């Protein structure tokens, strides 16, 4: 079984708890825990503020094929152009490149390997992870939780 399929199946996720919160740092947009809770659903809060992961194949944005822009649900920052979206087969919206100055990264050591976590550079909301198994021209796969995004058609 391929590593991404193993993780996509959720086989290892129940064994780990979410100890980290959304990216630490000085962000342009900051909110209190109560403000975040008021504006996000429970699932959105768990993913965006507690670095959780939505279940694979549950986001309607995974099947979104229209031209447009994917924005951060926490602050409306444009993150990904639809032209960079591709079907990775993992069950999460996947992109080979973020828009310039849109995402920041940090090491994520919650599983047995170190992964690259990505978050919104403006509000710090957790988006997903970046892997080195994507298509040309970058070879990257930004595997993003759909609940962290909104879509604006062109």
């Amino acid at each position: 079984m391929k590593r991404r399929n193993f993780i996509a199946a959720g086989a290892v996720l129940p064994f780990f708890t979410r100890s980290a919160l959304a990216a630490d740092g000085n962000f342009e947009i900051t909110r209190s825990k109560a403000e975040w809770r008021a504006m996000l659903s429970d699932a959105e809060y768990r993913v965006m503020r507690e670095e959780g992961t939505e279940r694979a194949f549950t986001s309607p944005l995974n099947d979104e094929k229209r031209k447009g822009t994917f924005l951060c649900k926490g602050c409306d920052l444009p993150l990904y152009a639809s032209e960079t979206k591709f079907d990775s087969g993992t069950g999460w919206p996947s992109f080979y490149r973020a828009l310039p100055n849109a995402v920041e990264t940090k090491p994520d050591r919650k599983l047995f390997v170190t992964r690259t976590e990505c978050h919104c550079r403006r509000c710090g909301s957790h988006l997903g992870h970046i892997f080195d198994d994507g298509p040309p021209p970058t070879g990257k796969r930004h595997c993003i939780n759909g609940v962290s995004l909104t879509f604006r058609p062109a």
Side-chain angles (χ1 to χ4, degrees):
M1 178 181 272
K2 290 183 180 177
R3 186 177 145 266
R4 85 165 95 162
N5 292 340
F6 183 66
I7 292 172
V12 297
L13 295 178
F15 299 105
F16 297 92
T17 59
R18 294 175 306 277
S19 59
L21 298 178
D24 295 324
N26 296 320
F27 296 101
E28 292 174 40
I29 295 180
T30 58
R31 294 183 175 92
S32 68
K33 183 176 178 179
E35 290 170 322
W36 282 112
R37 284 244 179 236
M39 73 175 279
L40 300 173
S41 70
D42 289 344
E44 292 164 351
Y45 187 88
R46 185 180 63 76
V47 169
M48 296 169 62
R49 307 315 302 169
E50 296 177 335
E51 297 183 353
T53 302
E54 71 186 351
R55 247 184 33 238
F57 300 102
T58 59
S59 173
L61 293 181
N62 190 45
D63 298 320
E64 180 59 63
K65 297 189 185 344
R66 295 176 290 171
K67 289 190 182 271
T69 307
F70 294 84
L71 303 103
C72 174
K73 189 167 274 185
C75 69
D76 293 326
L77 179 70
L79 300 173
Y80 295 96
S82 61
E83 292 80 14
T84 64
K85 187 171 186 287
F86 68 99
D87 183 1
S88 66
T90 61
W92 290 281
S94 297
F95 306 85
Y96 62 78
R97 178 186 302 127
L99 291 169
N101 198 29
V103 302
E104 293 179 346
T105 63
K106 69 177 186 175
D108 176 354
R109 297 178 179 91
K110 287 190 286 291
L111 295 178
F112 298 113
V113 297
T114 300
R115 301 178 297 167
T116 301
E117 183 263 347
C118 63
H119 57 272
C120 173
R121 69 103 182 135
R122 185 158 68 180
C123 71
S125 290
H126 173 74
L127 303 171
H129 292 86
I130 302 173
F131 301 96
D132 292 325
D133 60 359
T138 65
K140 301 293 184 186
R141 173 173 53 98
H142 293 233
C143 190
I144 307 300
N145 291 284
V147 297
S148 298
L149 303 172
T150 58
F151 179 73
R152 182 176 56 208

